[in-house]
Amino acid sequence: MSETITVRGFLGGEVEDFTTPQGLPISNFRLGCTPRRYDRKSEKWVNGETNWYTVSAFRQLAQNVKSSLSKGDPVVVTGRLRVRQWENDKGQRGTSVEIDAESVGYDLTFGTGSFTRLASSSTQEDGGRDAAPGGSAAHGSESSDTDPESGDRELQGAGQGAPF
């Protein structure tokens, strides 16, 4: 049985990527999630303890994560939760909480973004479900937030990097 979890937070560092000897692309990043609550005594919002997750993305998702996300970006991650016990060479023990990502996206609570659909053979294979009537992409149109040369997206708005 696998556990699916959805977590929203901020990238704690840059995305790291590598390729296995078998050619599988993998991207990893740290996701910090800080709950906020309203303190009625002080009449202000206060931060709780930050929970940290190591998020791993594979295949095309790994490549898209690497080219799209940067430190401080607000994201929503859905995936399989894994909790592992570990021990290092010095005998120190700990617990690591990891998410094998199935889906990663910007948390639009903190700004706006635009989406660029990748052209791939999968659109042809699945019967063209990504194509809108008339032959144009259903959600893949470029906006002013996309650099037409590189296809890079920008996340706009105040609050980037701010805790929840």
Side-chain angles (χ1 to χ4, degrees), residues 82-88 92-98:
R82 291 188 300 161
V83 179
R84 296 184 190 213
Q85 305 299 319
W86 54 266
E87 183 175 346
N88 67 13
Q92 296 172 319
R93 295 178 182 204
T95 303
S96 100
V97 183
E98 303 171 2

Side-chain angles (χ1 to χ4, degrees), residues 11-28:
L11 267 70
E14 294 301 329
V15 177
E16 299 175 359
D17 69 321
F18 61 95
T19 303
T20 66
Q22 296 77 23
L24 175 68
I26 301 174
S27 290
N28 296 316

Side-chain angles (χ1 to χ4, degrees), residues 110-127:
F110 298 95
T112 63
S114 63
F115 179 79
T116 303
R117 185 177 306 278
L118 296 177
S120 73
S121 59
S122 65
T123 3
Q124 307 301 328
E125 293 170 8
D126 65 10

